[in-house]
Amino acid sequence: MEITSIKAENPNEGLKIFIDLNKCIGCGMCDDVCPFGLPERNDLGKYEIFRVDLCTECSACKRNCPTQAIIMEERQGCGCLWDVKARKSGKDSCCDC
């Protein structure tokens, strides 16, 4: 099943980002480029994102995924990550640019 939009019918509907496990090859590129380390290897050796609320939608993972397994609706705006440390430490912070 090919998913072309995050709004398509899927078990992750409503999430701003998720990884299509059918396309994920477990290369770890998403984990390498994510400033928050959000993608985590599961028991199958593939990656999933469990802490979706910490995602800033910078799209680094999506742009670097060799199999296009990252499904996300990119947010329009400045794309800054000025609050990376706060987000990573779990403090409530957000870019309101």
Side-chain angles (χ1 to χ4, degrees):
M1 173 172 100
E2 185 172 330
I3 299 173
T4 57
S5 168
I6 196 162
K7 303 225 184 288
E9 286 186 30
N10 63 71
N12 300 297
E13 188 168 347
L15 296 180
K16 59 184 172 181
I17 184 170
F18 72 96
I19 299 175
D20 182 341
L21 295 180
N22 293 320
K23 291 183 178 180
C24 178
I25 59 172
C27 69
M29 182 62 72
C30 56
D31 186 34
D32 290 343
V33 300
C34 179
F36 311 105
L38 298 181
E40 298 177 45
R41 188 180 298 271
N42 65 21
D43 294 341
L44 301 173
K46 296 185 178 197
Y47 283 81
E48 292 186 70
I49 298 175
F50 299 104
R51 296 173 295 157
V52 175
D53 58 310
L54 297 178
C55 177
T56 63
E57 301 164 59
C58 71
S59 75
C61 60
K62 180 179 180 178
R63 286 182 278 128
N64 287 283
C65 179
T67 61
Q68 300 176 338
I70 311 291
I71 308 298
M72 72 179 302
E73 187 174 314
E74 295 177 60
R75 182 171 62 185
Q76 298 297 314
C78 70
C80 74
L81 292 175
W82 61 270
D83 60 348
V84 169
K85 287 185 180 179
R87 288 176 183 262
K88 196 165 186 176
S89 69
K91 295 178 183 170
D92 188 24
S93 179
C94 181
C95 174
D96 291 325
C97 298

